[in-house]
Amino acid sequence: MLERGEVANSWRSERWDSLRLLTPNWLSRLPGLRYQGPDPDGYMTMGEVTEFIERFAVVSHAPVRTGVNVTSLRQAGDGYHLTTSGGEIGCRAVVIASGACNQPSVPQFKAAVPASVEQLTPFDYRDPAKLPDGGVLVVGASATGVQLAAELQRSGRPVTLSVGEHVRLPRVYRGRDVLWWLDASGVWGQRYDEVDDLTRARRLPSPQLVGTPERVTLDLNALASMGVELVGRWAAVRDGHALFSGGLRNMFSLADLKMNRLLGAFDEWARTSGYHAEADPPERFAPTRVPSSARLQLDLGSGEIRTIVWATGFRPDYGWLDVPALDAKGQLRHEGGVVDSPGLYALGLPVLRRRRSTFIYGIEDDAREVVDDLTRYLAVRP
Ligand SMILES: Cc1cc2nc3c(=O)[nH]c(=O)nc-3n(C[C@H](O)[C@H](O)[C@H](O)COP(=O)(O)OP(=O)(O)OC[C@H]3O[C@@H](n4cnc5c(N)ncnc54)[C@H](O)[C@@H]3O)c2cc1C
């Protein structure tokens, strides 16, 4: 196992200070290692996640070689050849587990933003104190965007949040963490070959959730109540102005509709599984409030906005992969982790084999099945 940094590198070096997992502690489980502390319903800090993964490396006896950066992987004869910062390596098969979120994904019109405005990605952001005073435009309203918008607004900086397609969820539903419902009802267990639109499922934005000791819901209504100004999806920059799409009303209704459909599916599952009587009564939440007049443009040169935080998602970095296995969008072409190149496998990608593959605890079943495939591959090629 080659790791360019330390074990748990992404949690140590690519996250902001206040981040906690949005998955509760009882969901933090890896093969043979479960959370056993006093707060199963809590959410791990970055220090705790790092310790948890370090512990897993020890208990699983993972043969990790840290500080080894893979700079090239290419096919060689029946196998592969790797060039690394620690030397050359030949092997018969490779599992790519380099992550799905190696770099922030930022729209190209970033280059047209006036130089007077500071621009940050979640990889650069650590805490509000590092930002200049003044207004902040947070772009993207998925988990990262809503969390950073709330933190920056609380720091006293006026925040404008540009909202595109998003997934709204309450933190707690009928007395249980909403992720308990996704897990228990089987939604997260749905296999990739049963998902209607797999490409879409793999690109679905992360849900508007935050892990806090108070288990608060952090949806757009909560942000608007804090004073965050909501504007539409940022479409372009023209003459130093950010132009936002209209249609917030439609976008909000769509997110509300999808949330209600999902809650309806939970209620249905509760009825058929017998859990209904045990749970609190079904709930429905107030629709997302549409601002009376959302701004359609913002003068980036006026001084109103001093900082832009791009919370527009993440993408993998396969700059080191010299095997023609990427699609036009730079994503790995694979079927349930079996890459389109003999002897090459992948783990840790969204909806790899199941909806839960996107999360830490989704790895167990995926890893077993992908390793089974790999073992069969090696068995017929002695
Ligand atoms: C902001 C954020 C919040 C998240 N919150 C949660 C959450 O609350 N709960 C949850 O379950 N999941 C969460 N996730 C998803 C979570 O990151 C993944 O489920 C999990 O980290 C995947 O683990 P991984 O080992 O596959 O990838 P990573 O954690 O990305 O690890 C990949 C490793 O590969 C190394 N690497 C990459 N390229 C090379 C190379 N060329 N040579 C050598 N080493 C290399 C990296 O240094 C890194 O350590 C979150 C993701 C992000 C980005």
Side-chain angles (χ1 to χ4, degrees):
M1 291 186 64
L2 307 179
E3 165 57 58
R4 61 185 168 190
E6 292 295 309
V7 169
N9 184 50
S10 58
W11 301 103
R12 287 172 195 274
S13 58
E14 295 168 358
R15 309 282 189 259
W16 57 97
D17 293 351
S18 66
L19 180 65
R20 284 172 181 264
L21 288 188
L22 52 78
T23 40
N25 290 335
W26 59 264
L27 255 185
S28 289
R29 46 184 197 240
L30 289 168
L33 184 68
R34 282 167 181 267
Y35 174 84
Q36 286 180 323
D39 186 18
D41 291 326
Y43 307 90
M44 287 187 193
T45 62
M46 290 306 98
E48 289 166 340
V49 184
T50 303
E51 270 174 35
F52 183 72
I53 295 175
E54 276 180 327
R55 198 154 68 247
F56 180 65
V58 173
V59 299
S60 65
H61 305 289
V64 190
R65 287 172 58 191
T66 54
V68 180
N69 188 22
V70 178
T71 53
S72 160
L73 166 66
R74 58 184 167 77
Q75 238 163 344
D78 273 354
Y80 291 90
H81 186 89
L82 289 94
T83 304
T84 82
S85 57
E88 309 289 316
I89 299 174
C91 54
R92 292 159 70 200
V94 177
V95 180
I96 299 176
S98 53
C101 304
N102 307 115
Q103 37 192 347
S105 182
V106 178
Q108 288 195 341
F109 56 73
K110 168 193 199 301
V113 170
S116 57
V117 180
E118 193 165 321
Q119 301 188 53
L120 293 177
T121 71
F123 276 28
D124 315 314
Y125 177 86
R126 286 293 170 267
D127 69 78
K130 309 263 176 6
L131 267 64
D133 286 337
V136 184
L137 174 57
V138 176
V139 191
S142 294
T144 302
V146 296
Q147 291 181 28
L148 298 188
E151 174 162 287
L152 288 161
Q153 180 76 24
R154 276 197 297 269
S155 77
R157 291 165 179 78
V159 172
T160 306
L161 177 63
S162 166
V163 182
E165 188 195 351
H166 56 277
V167 177
R168 182 184 177 197
L169 285 182
R171 177 76 266 184
V172 175
Y173 184 61
R174 298 182 66 180
R176 310 256 350 204
D177 194 293
V178 74
L179 302 185
W180 180 87
W181 288 92
L182 278 162
D183 185 45
S185 66
V187 172
W188 267 3
Q190 191 183 22
R191 289 185 58 90
Y192 75 110
D193 42 11
E194 295 165 353
V195 172
D196 281 343
D197 186 344
L198 184 59
T199 308
R200 201 182 137 62
R202 285 182 169 160
R203 290 208 199 115
L204 206 63
S206 56
Q208 290 173 333
L209 287 176
V210 63
T212 61
E214 301 78 22
R215 302 214 286 174
V216 295
T217 290
L218 189 59
D219 58 12
L220 297 178
N221 284 348
L223 288 168
S225 301
M226 292 170 67
V228 171
E229 178 184 347
L230 305 179
V231 295
R233 186 186 160 78
W234 188 347
V237 179
R238 197 167 305 140
D239 303 327
H241 287 66
L243 306 186
F244 305 112
S245 312
L248 272 185
R249 183 178 300 279
N250 285 347
M251 203 153 33
F252 289 2
S253 331
L254 192 64
D256 290 350
L257 179 82
K258 288 186 179 164
M259 175 180 70
N260 287 331
R261 238 190 247 152
L262 186 65
L263 301 181
F266 294 161
D267 295 337
E268 182 54 30
W269 169 80
R271 260 189 301 277
T272 51
S273 68
Y275 182 70
H276 180 72
E278 213 180 301
D280 292 351
E283 305 169 74
R284 289 298 174 267
F285 301 90
T288 309
R289 293 190 299 277
V290 184
S292 47
S293 58
R295 286 199 274 180
L296 292 176
Q297 53 175 294
L298 209 158
D299 181 358
L300 295 170
S302 70
E304 179 190 344
I305 297 296
R306 299 288 311 283
T307 315
I308 294 171
V309 179
W310 297 102
T312 33
F314 302 94
R315 59 194 163 89
D317 177 9
Y318 296 121
W320 48 276
L321 186 64
D322 296 320
V323 176
L326 300 184
D327 67 16
K329 293 211 148 72
Q331 301 289 339
L332 209 53
R333 276 197 314 271
H334 69 95
E335 178 71 24
V338 180
V339 180
D340 201 4
S341 180
L344 202 54
Y345 298 86
L347 279 170
L349 301 179
V351 200
L352 186 108
R353 290 227 173 185
R354 292 167 184 78
R355 285 196 186 268
R356 65 169 173 265
S357 307
T358 308
F359 298 92
I360 297 171
Y361 95 111
I363 196 67
E364 181 159 7
D365 293 334
D366 286 6
R368 189 181 324 102
E369 291 175 15
V370 167
V371 170
D372 281 351
D373 282 345
L374 187 153
T375 312
R376 276 194 296 275
Y377 171 81
L378 290 179
V380 294
R381 284 171 183 74

